Short mmCIF file of all heavy atoms in Angstrom, two decimals:
data_model
loop_
_atom_site.label_atom_id
_atom_site.label_comp_id
_atom_site.label_asym_id
_atom_site.label_seq_id
_atom_site.Cartn_x
_atom_site.Cartn_y
_atom_site.Cartn_z
N GLU A 1 3.70 19.45 135.16
CA GLU A 1 4.93 18.71 134.93
C GLU A 1 4.87 17.97 133.59
O GLU A 1 5.85 17.93 132.86
CB GLU A 1 5.18 17.74 136.09
CG GLU A 1 6.48 16.98 135.99
CD GLU A 1 7.73 17.84 136.04
OE1 GLU A 1 7.70 18.95 136.61
OE2 GLU A 1 8.74 17.41 135.48
N LEU A 2 3.73 17.39 133.27
CA LEU A 2 3.59 16.69 131.99
C LEU A 2 3.71 17.65 130.81
O LEU A 2 4.31 17.32 129.78
CB LEU A 2 2.26 15.94 131.92
CG LEU A 2 2.13 14.72 132.82
CD1 LEU A 2 0.72 14.15 132.72
CD2 LEU A 2 3.16 13.67 132.45
N LYS A 3 3.16 18.84 130.95
CA LYS A 3 3.27 19.86 129.89
C LYS A 3 4.73 20.23 129.67
O LYS A 3 5.20 20.33 128.54
CB LYS A 3 2.45 21.10 130.25
CG LYS A 3 2.68 22.24 129.25
CD LYS A 3 1.45 22.98 128.92
CE LYS A 3 1.64 24.17 128.04
NZ LYS A 3 2.43 24.03 126.85
N ARG A 4 5.47 20.44 130.77
CA ARG A 4 6.88 20.79 130.70
C ARG A 4 7.66 19.69 129.97
O ARG A 4 8.47 19.97 129.09
CB ARG A 4 7.45 21.01 132.10
CG ARG A 4 8.93 21.32 132.11
CD ARG A 4 9.46 21.28 133.55
NE ARG A 4 10.89 21.19 133.56
CZ ARG A 4 11.59 20.08 133.43
NH1 ARG A 4 11.01 18.93 133.28
NH2 ARG A 4 12.91 20.10 133.46
N GLU A 5 7.41 18.43 130.33
CA GLU A 5 8.09 17.31 129.68
C GLU A 5 7.79 17.26 128.19
O GLU A 5 8.67 17.02 127.37
CB GLU A 5 7.71 15.99 130.35
CG GLU A 5 8.30 15.82 131.73
CD GLU A 5 7.84 14.54 132.40
OE1 GLU A 5 7.33 13.63 131.71
OE2 GLU A 5 7.99 14.47 133.63
N GLY A 6 6.53 17.49 127.83
CA GLY A 6 6.15 17.52 126.42
C GLY A 6 6.81 18.66 125.68
O GLY A 6 7.28 18.49 124.54
N ASP A 7 6.87 19.83 126.32
CA ASP A 7 7.52 20.99 125.70
C ASP A 7 9.02 20.73 125.50
O ASP A 7 9.59 21.12 124.49
CB ASP A 7 7.29 22.24 126.55
CG ASP A 7 5.86 22.74 126.50
OD1 ASP A 7 5.09 22.29 125.61
OD2 ASP A 7 5.50 23.57 127.36
N LEU A 8 9.66 20.08 126.49
CA LEU A 8 11.09 19.76 126.35
C LEU A 8 11.31 18.76 125.21
O LEU A 8 12.28 18.88 124.46
CB LEU A 8 11.65 19.21 127.65
CG LEU A 8 12.06 20.25 128.69
CD1 LEU A 8 12.46 19.57 129.99
CD2 LEU A 8 13.18 21.13 128.19
N ARG A 9 10.44 17.77 125.08
CA ARG A 9 10.55 16.81 123.97
C ARG A 9 10.40 17.51 122.63
O ARG A 9 11.12 17.23 121.67
CB ARG A 9 9.52 15.70 124.11
CG ARG A 9 9.94 14.59 125.05
CD ARG A 9 9.07 13.36 124.92
NE ARG A 9 7.67 13.64 125.19
CZ ARG A 9 7.11 13.64 126.40
NH1 ARG A 9 7.85 13.40 127.45
NH2 ARG A 9 5.83 13.88 126.54
N GLU A 10 9.46 18.43 122.54
CA GLU A 10 9.25 19.18 121.30
C GLU A 10 10.47 20.04 120.98
O GLU A 10 10.91 20.13 119.82
CB GLU A 10 8.00 20.05 121.41
CG GLU A 10 7.67 20.83 120.17
CD GLU A 10 7.32 19.97 118.97
OE1 GLU A 10 6.87 18.83 119.14
OE2 GLU A 10 7.51 20.45 117.83
N LEU A 11 11.04 20.68 121.98
CA LEU A 11 12.25 21.48 121.79
C LEU A 11 13.41 20.59 121.34
O LEU A 11 14.16 20.94 120.43
CB LEU A 11 12.60 22.24 123.07
CG LEU A 11 13.88 23.05 123.04
CD1 LEU A 11 13.89 24.07 121.91
CD2 LEU A 11 14.09 23.74 124.39
N SER A 12 13.55 19.44 121.97
CA SER A 12 14.60 18.50 121.60
C SER A 12 14.45 18.08 120.14
O SER A 12 15.43 18.03 119.39
CB SER A 12 14.52 17.27 122.51
OG SER A 12 15.49 16.34 122.16
N ARG A 13 13.22 17.81 119.70
CA ARG A 13 12.96 17.46 118.31
C ARG A 13 13.36 18.60 117.37
O ARG A 13 13.98 18.39 116.33
CB ARG A 13 11.48 17.11 118.11
CG ARG A 13 11.17 16.58 116.71
CD ARG A 13 9.69 16.65 116.38
NE ARG A 13 9.16 18.01 116.46
CZ ARG A 13 9.34 18.96 115.55
NH1 ARG A 13 10.08 18.75 114.49
NH2 ARG A 13 8.80 20.15 115.70
N SER A 14 13.05 19.83 117.78
CA SER A 14 13.41 21.00 116.96
C SER A 14 14.92 21.15 116.84
O SER A 14 15.44 21.48 115.78
CB SER A 14 12.81 22.26 117.57
OG SER A 14 11.42 22.24 117.53
N ILE A 15 15.63 20.90 117.93
CA ILE A 15 17.10 20.98 117.90
C ILE A 15 17.65 19.89 116.99
O ILE A 15 18.56 20.14 116.18
CB ILE A 15 17.69 20.89 119.31
CG1 ILE A 15 17.33 22.15 120.11
CG2 ILE A 15 19.21 20.71 119.25
CD1 ILE A 15 17.67 22.08 121.59
N GLN A 16 17.09 18.69 117.07
CA GLN A 16 17.56 17.60 116.20
C GLN A 16 17.29 17.93 114.73
O GLN A 16 18.13 17.65 113.87
CB GLN A 16 16.89 16.28 116.59
CG GLN A 16 17.22 15.81 117.99
CD GLN A 16 18.68 15.44 118.20
OE1 GLN A 16 19.60 16.01 117.63
NE2 GLN A 16 18.90 14.46 119.06
N ASP A 17 16.16 18.55 114.42
CA ASP A 17 15.88 18.99 113.05
C ASP A 17 16.89 20.03 112.60
O ASP A 17 17.36 20.00 111.45
CB ASP A 17 14.46 19.56 112.93
CG ASP A 17 13.38 18.50 112.95
OD1 ASP A 17 13.70 17.29 112.81
OD2 ASP A 17 12.20 18.87 113.12
N PHE A 18 17.23 20.97 113.49
CA PHE A 18 18.24 21.99 113.18
C PHE A 18 19.59 21.33 112.88
O PHE A 18 20.27 21.70 111.93
CB PHE A 18 18.36 22.99 114.33
CG PHE A 18 19.51 23.94 114.17
CD1 PHE A 18 19.44 24.99 113.28
CD2 PHE A 18 20.67 23.78 114.92
CE1 PHE A 18 20.50 25.87 113.13
CE2 PHE A 18 21.73 24.65 114.77
CZ PHE A 18 21.66 25.70 113.87
N ARG A 19 19.96 20.37 113.69
CA ARG A 19 21.22 19.66 113.48
C ARG A 19 21.22 19.00 112.09
O ARG A 19 22.22 19.08 111.36
CB ARG A 19 21.43 18.59 114.56
CG ARG A 19 21.73 19.13 115.94
CD ARG A 19 21.77 18.00 116.96
NE ARG A 19 22.79 17.04 116.63
CZ ARG A 19 24.05 17.07 117.07
NH1 ARG A 19 24.42 18.02 117.90
NH2 ARG A 19 24.92 16.15 116.70
N LYS A 20 20.11 18.37 111.73
CA LYS A 20 20.02 17.67 110.45
C LYS A 20 20.13 18.65 109.28
O LYS A 20 20.88 18.41 108.34
CB LYS A 20 18.69 16.92 110.37
CG LYS A 20 18.53 16.10 109.13
CD LYS A 20 17.22 15.32 109.16
CE LYS A 20 17.06 14.50 107.90
NZ LYS A 20 15.80 13.76 107.91
N THR A 21 19.40 19.77 109.35
CA THR A 21 19.44 20.74 108.26
C THR A 21 20.79 21.46 108.19
O THR A 21 21.13 22.00 107.15
CB THR A 21 18.31 21.78 108.36
OG1 THR A 21 18.42 22.48 109.60
CG2 THR A 21 16.94 21.12 108.27
N SER A 22 21.54 21.43 109.28
CA SER A 22 22.87 22.05 109.30
C SER A 22 23.95 21.08 108.82
O SER A 22 25.13 21.44 108.78
CB SER A 22 23.22 22.53 110.71
OG SER A 22 22.32 23.53 111.12
N GLY A 23 23.56 19.84 108.50
CA GLY A 23 24.52 18.87 107.99
C GLY A 23 25.36 18.21 109.06
O GLY A 23 26.41 17.65 108.77
N LEU A 24 24.90 18.25 110.30
CA LEU A 24 25.65 17.65 111.40
C LEU A 24 25.27 16.19 111.56
O LEU A 24 24.16 15.79 111.26
CB LEU A 24 25.36 18.41 112.70
CG LEU A 24 25.75 19.89 112.69
CD1 LEU A 24 25.16 20.60 113.89
CD2 LEU A 24 27.26 20.04 112.67
N THR A 25 26.21 15.40 112.06
CA THR A 25 25.95 13.99 112.33
C THR A 25 25.59 13.84 113.81
O THR A 25 25.91 14.71 114.63
CB THR A 25 27.18 13.13 112.02
OG1 THR A 25 28.22 13.47 112.92
CG2 THR A 25 27.65 13.31 110.58
N PRO A 26 24.98 12.72 114.19
CA PRO A 26 24.63 12.50 115.59
C PRO A 26 25.84 12.53 116.53
O PRO A 26 25.70 12.89 117.70
CB PRO A 26 23.97 11.12 115.59
CG PRO A 26 23.41 10.99 114.22
CD PRO A 26 24.40 11.68 113.32
N SER A 27 27.00 12.19 116.03
CA SER A 27 28.19 12.18 116.88
C SER A 27 28.82 13.57 117.06
O SER A 27 29.67 13.75 117.92
CB SER A 27 29.24 11.22 116.33
OG SER A 27 29.66 11.64 115.05
N ASP A 28 28.40 14.55 116.26
CA ASP A 28 28.94 15.91 116.39
C ASP A 28 28.42 16.55 117.67
O ASP A 28 27.22 16.57 117.92
CB ASP A 28 28.51 16.78 115.20
CG ASP A 28 29.18 16.39 113.91
OD1 ASP A 28 30.28 15.82 113.96
OD2 ASP A 28 28.58 16.64 112.84
N LYS A 29 29.33 17.06 118.46
CA LYS A 29 28.97 17.80 119.67
C LYS A 29 29.00 19.28 119.32
O LYS A 29 29.95 19.75 118.70
CB LYS A 29 29.95 17.52 120.82
CG LYS A 29 30.02 16.06 121.21
CD LYS A 29 28.72 15.59 121.79
CE LYS A 29 28.82 14.14 122.25
NZ LYS A 29 27.55 13.58 122.60
N ILE A 30 27.95 20.01 119.70
CA ILE A 30 27.86 21.41 119.30
C ILE A 30 27.53 22.31 120.48
O ILE A 30 26.96 21.87 121.47
CB ILE A 30 26.80 21.62 118.19
CG1 ILE A 30 25.40 21.23 118.68
CG2 ILE A 30 27.17 20.87 116.93
CD1 ILE A 30 24.27 21.64 117.75
N ALA A 31 27.90 23.57 120.34
CA ALA A 31 27.49 24.62 121.26
C ALA A 31 26.40 25.40 120.53
O ALA A 31 26.55 25.75 119.37
CB ALA A 31 28.66 25.52 121.61
N LEU A 32 25.29 25.65 121.21
CA LEU A 32 24.12 26.23 120.57
C LEU A 32 23.70 27.51 121.26
O LEU A 32 23.76 27.62 122.49
CB LEU A 32 22.97 25.22 120.63
CG LEU A 32 21.74 25.48 119.78
CD1 LEU A 32 22.09 25.39 118.29
CD2 LEU A 32 20.65 24.48 120.11
N VAL A 33 23.27 28.50 120.47
CA VAL A 33 22.68 29.72 120.99
C VAL A 33 21.21 29.70 120.57
O VAL A 33 20.90 29.52 119.40
CB VAL A 33 23.36 30.98 120.42
CG1 VAL A 33 22.69 32.24 120.94
CG2 VAL A 33 24.84 30.98 120.75
N VAL A 34 20.33 29.85 121.56
CA VAL A 34 18.89 29.79 121.31
C VAL A 34 18.28 31.14 121.65
O VAL A 34 18.48 31.65 122.75
CB VAL A 34 18.22 28.71 122.18
CG1 VAL A 34 16.72 28.65 121.88
CG2 VAL A 34 18.86 27.36 121.97
N THR A 35 17.57 31.73 120.70
CA THR A 35 16.83 32.96 120.96
C THR A 35 15.37 32.58 121.12
O THR A 35 14.80 31.87 120.29
CB THR A 35 16.98 33.95 119.79
OG1 THR A 35 18.37 34.21 119.59
CG2 THR A 35 16.26 35.26 120.09
N THR A 36 14.77 33.03 122.22
CA THR A 36 13.39 32.69 122.52
C THR A 36 12.79 33.73 123.45
O THR A 36 13.48 34.65 123.89
CB THR A 36 13.29 31.27 123.13
OG1 THR A 36 11.92 30.90 123.24
CG2 THR A 36 13.96 31.20 124.47
N ASP A 37 11.51 33.58 123.76
CA ASP A 37 10.85 34.49 124.69
C ASP A 37 11.14 34.07 126.13
O ASP A 37 11.83 33.08 126.38
CB ASP A 37 9.34 34.57 124.40
CG ASP A 37 8.64 33.23 124.52
OD1 ASP A 37 9.20 32.27 125.09
OD2 ASP A 37 7.50 33.14 124.03
N ALA A 38 10.61 34.82 127.09
CA ALA A 38 10.88 34.55 128.51
C ALA A 38 10.40 33.17 128.93
O ALA A 38 11.06 32.48 129.71
CB ALA A 38 10.22 35.63 129.37
N GLU A 39 9.26 32.74 128.40
CA GLU A 39 8.72 31.42 128.74
C GLU A 39 9.64 30.31 128.23
O GLU A 39 9.92 29.34 128.93
CB GLU A 39 7.33 31.27 128.14
CG GLU A 39 6.60 30.03 128.57
CD GLU A 39 5.18 29.99 128.01
OE1 GLU A 39 4.51 31.03 127.98
OE2 GLU A 39 4.77 28.89 127.61
N GLY A 40 10.13 30.46 127.00
CA GLY A 40 11.06 29.48 126.43
C GLY A 40 12.37 29.45 127.19
O GLY A 40 12.95 28.39 127.40
N LYS A 41 12.84 30.62 127.60
CA LYS A 41 14.08 30.70 128.36
C LYS A 41 13.95 29.95 129.68
O LYS A 41 14.83 29.18 130.06
CB LYS A 41 14.43 32.17 128.62
CG LYS A 41 15.74 32.36 129.34
CD LYS A 41 16.09 33.83 129.48
CE LYS A 41 17.41 33.99 130.20
NZ LYS A 41 17.79 35.40 130.36
N ALA A 42 12.83 30.13 130.37
CA ALA A 42 12.59 29.44 131.64
C ALA A 42 12.54 27.92 131.42
O ALA A 42 13.08 27.15 132.23
CB ALA A 42 11.31 29.95 132.28
N LEU A 43 11.91 27.48 130.33
CA LEU A 43 11.82 26.06 130.02
C LEU A 43 13.21 25.47 129.81
O LEU A 43 13.55 24.43 130.38
CB LEU A 43 10.96 25.83 128.78
CG LEU A 43 10.90 24.39 128.28
CD1 LEU A 43 10.15 23.50 129.26
CD2 LEU A 43 10.26 24.33 126.90
N ILE A 44 14.02 26.14 129.01
CA ILE A 44 15.37 25.63 128.72
C ILE A 44 16.21 25.59 129.98
O ILE A 44 16.89 24.60 130.26
CB ILE A 44 16.05 26.48 127.63
CG1 ILE A 44 15.32 26.29 126.31
CG2 ILE A 44 17.53 26.10 127.49
CD1 ILE A 44 15.73 27.26 125.22
N GLU A 45 16.15 26.64 130.77
CA GLU A 45 16.95 26.68 131.99
C GLU A 45 16.53 25.60 132.99
O GLU A 45 17.36 25.03 133.67
CB GLU A 45 16.90 28.06 132.61
CG GLU A 45 17.67 29.07 131.78
CD GLU A 45 17.56 30.50 132.26
OE1 GLU A 45 16.76 30.78 133.18
OE2 GLU A 45 18.27 31.36 131.69
N SER A 46 15.24 25.27 133.03
CA SER A 46 14.77 24.25 133.97
C SER A 46 15.14 22.84 133.53
O SER A 46 15.24 21.94 134.35
CB SER A 46 13.25 24.35 134.16
OG SER A 46 12.56 23.87 133.02
N GLY A 47 15.33 22.62 132.23
CA GLY A 47 15.66 21.29 131.72
C GLY A 47 16.96 21.24 130.96
O GLY A 47 17.15 20.38 130.10
N LYS A 48 17.87 22.15 131.29
CA LYS A 48 19.11 22.31 130.52
C LYS A 48 19.94 21.02 130.44
O LYS A 48 20.33 20.60 129.35
CB LYS A 48 19.94 23.43 131.14
CG LYS A 48 21.17 23.78 130.37
CD LYS A 48 21.86 24.97 131.00
CE LYS A 48 23.07 25.38 130.21
NZ LYS A 48 23.70 26.59 130.77
N ASP A 49 20.19 20.37 131.57
CA ASP A 49 21.02 19.16 131.56
C ASP A 49 20.38 18.05 130.74
O ASP A 49 21.05 17.38 129.95
CB ASP A 49 21.27 18.67 133.00
CG ASP A 49 22.14 19.64 133.79
OD1 ASP A 49 22.91 20.40 133.18
OD2 ASP A 49 22.04 19.63 135.03
N GLU A 50 19.09 17.86 130.93
CA GLU A 50 18.33 16.86 130.20
C GLU A 50 18.39 17.12 128.69
O GLU A 50 18.60 16.22 127.89
CB GLU A 50 16.90 16.94 130.72
CG GLU A 50 15.91 15.99 130.19
CD GLU A 50 14.54 16.23 130.83
OE1 GLU A 50 14.43 16.86 131.90
OE2 GLU A 50 13.58 15.77 130.22
N LEU A 51 18.21 18.37 128.31
CA LEU A 51 18.22 18.78 126.91
C LEU A 51 19.60 18.59 126.28
O LEU A 51 19.71 18.08 125.16
CB LEU A 51 17.79 20.24 126.81
CG LEU A 51 17.45 20.79 125.46
CD1 LEU A 51 16.27 20.05 124.85
CD2 LEU A 51 17.13 22.27 125.56
N MET A 52 20.64 18.97 127.01
CA MET A 52 22.00 18.83 126.49
C MET A 52 22.34 17.37 126.24
O MET A 52 22.93 17.03 125.22
CB MET A 52 23.00 19.47 127.45
CG MET A 52 22.94 20.99 127.44
SD MET A 52 24.02 21.77 128.65
CE MET A 52 25.62 21.23 128.08
N LYS A 53 21.95 16.51 127.16
CA LYS A 53 22.24 15.08 127.02
C LYS A 53 21.48 14.48 125.83
O LYS A 53 22.04 13.72 125.05
CB LYS A 53 21.85 14.36 128.31
CG LYS A 53 22.18 12.90 128.29
CD LYS A 53 21.81 12.25 129.61
CE LYS A 53 22.10 10.76 129.54
NZ LYS A 53 21.70 10.08 130.76
N ALA A 54 20.21 14.85 125.68
CA ALA A 54 19.38 14.28 124.62
C ALA A 54 19.77 14.73 123.22
O ALA A 54 19.52 14.03 122.25
CB ALA A 54 17.92 14.63 124.88
N THR A 55 20.39 15.91 123.12
CA THR A 55 20.67 16.47 121.79
C THR A 55 22.16 16.60 121.45
O THR A 55 22.50 17.12 120.40
CB THR A 55 20.01 17.87 121.66
OG1 THR A 55 20.50 18.71 122.70
CG2 THR A 55 18.50 17.76 121.74
N GLY A 56 23.04 16.14 122.33
CA GLY A 56 24.47 16.17 122.04
C GLY A 56 25.07 17.56 122.07
O GLY A 56 25.97 17.87 121.29
N LEU A 57 24.58 18.40 122.97
CA LEU A 57 25.12 19.76 123.09
C LEU A 57 26.25 19.79 124.10
O LEU A 57 26.19 19.15 125.15
CB LEU A 57 24.02 20.73 123.55
CG LEU A 57 22.80 20.87 122.65
CD1 LEU A 57 21.77 21.79 123.31
CD2 LEU A 57 23.18 21.39 121.29
N THR A 58 27.29 20.58 123.81
CA THR A 58 28.34 20.80 124.79
C THR A 58 27.98 21.99 125.66
O THR A 58 28.40 22.07 126.81
CB THR A 58 29.70 21.07 124.11
OG1 THR A 58 29.57 22.20 123.24
CG2 THR A 58 30.17 19.86 123.33
N SER A 59 27.21 22.91 125.09
CA SER A 59 26.71 24.05 125.86
C SER A 59 25.50 24.63 125.14
O SER A 59 25.32 24.44 123.95
CB SER A 59 27.78 25.14 126.04
OG SER A 59 28.05 25.78 124.81
N VAL A 60 24.67 25.31 125.92
CA VAL A 60 23.53 26.00 125.36
C VAL A 60 23.43 27.37 126.02
O VAL A 60 23.47 27.48 127.23
CB VAL A 60 22.21 25.19 125.50
CG1 VAL A 60 21.86 24.93 126.94
CG2 VAL A 60 21.07 25.88 124.79
N GLU A 61 23.40 28.39 125.20
CA GLU A 61 23.26 29.77 125.67
C GLU A 61 21.88 30.24 125.25
O GLU A 61 21.48 30.07 124.10
CB GLU A 61 24.33 30.65 125.02
CG GLU A 61 24.25 32.10 125.41
CD GLU A 61 25.31 32.93 124.67
OE1 GLU A 61 26.37 32.38 124.29
OE2 GLU A 61 25.05 34.13 124.47
N VAL A 62 21.15 30.82 126.20
CA VAL A 62 19.79 31.27 125.91
C VAL A 62 19.78 32.79 125.89
O VAL A 62 20.22 33.44 126.83
CB VAL A 62 18.79 30.75 126.95
CG1 VAL A 62 17.38 31.16 126.57
CG2 VAL A 62 18.89 29.24 127.09
N VAL A 63 19.26 33.35 124.80
CA VAL A 63 19.15 34.78 124.63
C VAL A 63 17.66 35.11 124.53
O VAL A 63 16.96 34.53 123.70
CB VAL A 63 19.89 35.26 123.36
CG1 VAL A 63 19.70 36.75 123.15
CG2 VAL A 63 21.35 34.86 123.41
N GLU A 64 17.21 35.99 125.39
CA GLU A 64 15.82 36.40 125.32
C GLU A 64 15.69 37.43 124.21
O GLU A 64 16.42 38.41 124.17
CB GLU A 64 15.36 36.97 126.66
CG GLU A 64 13.88 37.06 126.79
CD GLU A 64 13.43 37.42 128.20
OE1 GLU A 64 14.10 37.04 129.17
OE2 GLU A 64 12.40 38.09 128.30
N GLY A 65 14.78 37.18 123.31
CA GLY A 65 14.60 38.08 122.19
C GLY A 65 13.21 37.97 121.62
O GLY A 65 12.36 37.25 122.13
N VAL A 66 13.00 38.66 120.53
CA VAL A 66 11.69 38.70 119.90
C VAL A 66 11.56 37.50 118.96
O VAL A 66 12.32 37.36 118.00
CB VAL A 66 11.50 40.01 119.11
CG1 VAL A 66 10.16 40.03 118.41
CG2 VAL A 66 11.64 41.21 120.03
N THR A 67 10.63 36.63 119.29
CA THR A 67 10.27 35.49 118.44
C THR A 67 8.77 35.32 118.54
O THR A 67 8.13 35.92 119.39
CB THR A 67 10.94 34.18 118.90
OG1 THR A 67 10.47 33.86 120.21
CG2 THR A 67 12.45 34.27 118.92
N GLU A 68 8.22 34.50 117.67
CA GLU A 68 6.81 34.17 117.82
C GLU A 68 6.65 33.41 119.12
O GLU A 68 7.55 32.68 119.54
CB GLU A 68 6.35 33.29 116.66
CG GLU A 68 6.29 33.99 115.33
CD GLU A 68 5.74 33.06 114.26
OE1 GLU A 68 4.89 32.21 114.56
OE2 GLU A 68 6.20 33.20 113.13
N LYS A 69 5.52 33.59 119.76
CA LYS A 69 5.30 32.90 121.04
C LYS A 69 5.51 31.40 120.86
O LYS A 69 4.96 30.78 119.98
CB LYS A 69 3.90 33.17 121.56
CG LYS A 69 3.64 32.52 122.91
CD LYS A 69 2.38 33.04 123.54
CE LYS A 69 2.04 32.32 124.83
NZ LYS A 69 3.03 32.32 125.83
N GLY A 70 6.34 30.84 121.74
CA GLY A 70 6.58 29.41 121.69
C GLY A 70 7.55 28.96 120.61
O GLY A 70 7.67 27.77 120.36
N SER A 71 8.25 29.89 119.97
CA SER A 71 9.18 29.49 118.92
C SER A 71 10.62 29.75 119.36
O SER A 71 10.88 30.49 120.31
CB SER A 71 8.89 30.20 117.60
OG SER A 71 9.22 31.56 117.71
N TYR A 72 11.54 29.14 118.65
CA TYR A 72 12.96 29.22 118.97
C TYR A 72 13.74 29.49 117.70
O TYR A 72 13.41 28.94 116.65
CB TYR A 72 13.44 27.90 119.58
CG TYR A 72 12.66 27.48 120.81
CD1 TYR A 72 11.53 26.68 120.71
CD2 TYR A 72 13.05 27.92 122.07
CE1 TYR A 72 10.80 26.31 121.83
CE2 TYR A 72 12.33 27.54 123.19
CZ TYR A 72 11.22 26.74 123.07
OH TYR A 72 10.52 26.38 124.18
N ASP A 73 14.79 30.28 117.79
CA ASP A 73 15.73 30.46 116.69
C ASP A 73 17.07 29.90 117.16
O ASP A 73 17.52 30.23 118.27
CB ASP A 73 15.88 31.94 116.33
CG ASP A 73 14.62 32.52 115.70
OD1 ASP A 73 13.95 31.81 114.93
OD2 ASP A 73 14.30 33.69 115.98
N PHE A 74 17.70 29.06 116.35
CA PHE A 74 18.95 28.42 116.73
C PHE A 74 20.09 28.93 115.86
O PHE A 74 19.91 29.22 114.69
CB PHE A 74 18.85 26.90 116.52
CG PHE A 74 17.69 26.26 117.23
CD1 PHE A 74 16.64 25.71 116.49
CD2 PHE A 74 17.64 26.20 118.59
CE1 PHE A 74 15.58 25.10 117.13
CE2 PHE A 74 16.57 25.58 119.25
CZ PHE A 74 15.54 25.04 118.51
N LYS A 75 21.28 28.98 116.45
CA LYS A 75 22.49 29.19 115.68
C LYS A 75 23.64 28.51 116.41
O LYS A 75 23.59 28.35 117.65
CB LYS A 75 22.77 30.66 115.41
CG LYS A 75 23.18 31.47 116.61
CD LYS A 75 23.50 32.91 116.21
CE LYS A 75 23.96 33.68 117.42
NZ LYS A 75 24.30 35.04 117.12
N LEU A 76 24.64 28.09 115.66
CA LEU A 76 25.81 27.48 116.25
C LEU A 76 26.68 28.56 116.87
O LEU A 76 26.79 29.64 116.34
CB LEU A 76 26.58 26.69 115.21
CG LEU A 76 25.82 25.53 114.57
CD1 LEU A 76 26.64 24.92 113.45
CD2 LEU A 76 25.48 24.48 115.60
N LYS A 77 27.27 28.22 117.96
CA LYS A 77 28.13 29.18 118.66
C LYS A 77 29.53 29.08 118.14
O LYS A 77 30.03 28.06 117.80
CB LYS A 77 28.10 28.87 120.16
CG LYS A 77 28.75 29.91 121.01
CD LYS A 77 28.48 29.59 122.46
CE LYS A 77 29.03 30.68 123.32
NZ LYS A 77 28.82 30.41 124.72
#
């Protein structure tokens, strides 16, 4: 459980970095598409509500695809 919480915090930090590099403000609500491996998909689905609240997402769509293990690719929907 502690590992999962740490992984969710790390993912949240990555999403916040993506928002910053995309020129978004903290008040901007966004829909996000995340490409990740099966493990990442399971993590996002298990903590989806928590993640959406922490990062200001209106929705998050998870696409399983080829990425480096433990990495995520983000794009705005």
Side-chain angles (χ1 to χ4, degrees):
E1 183 64 25
L2 289 176
K3 173 140 175 49
R4 178 190 164 277
E5 289 176 17
D7 290 345
L8 278 174
R9 277 194 301 274
E10 182 64 25
L11 176 57
S12 178
R13 186 198 59 76
S14 295
I15 292 171
Q16 297 294 34
D17 285 347
F18 171 75
R19 290 174 60 92
K20 184 177 180 180
T21 59
S22 297
L24 299 168
T25 66
S27 62
D28 291 334
K29 300 294 183 190
I30 62 169
L32 192 66
V33 178
V34 181
T35 303
T36 188
D37 59 16
E39 188 176 320
K41 183 176 180 180
L43 175 68
I44 293 169
E45 289 175 353
S46 73
K48 186 175 182 176
D49 293 336
E50 182 180 341
L51 192 62
M52 288 176 62
K53 183 178 178 183
T55 58
L57 300 176
T58 57
S59 70
V60 61
E61 178 183 333
V62 184
V63 177
E64 196 171 328
V66 178
T67 63
E68 290 183 34
K69 182 167 175 57
S71 70
Y72 304 90
D73 292 323
F74 305 113
K75 70 177 182 179
L76 298 174
K77 189 172 185 181

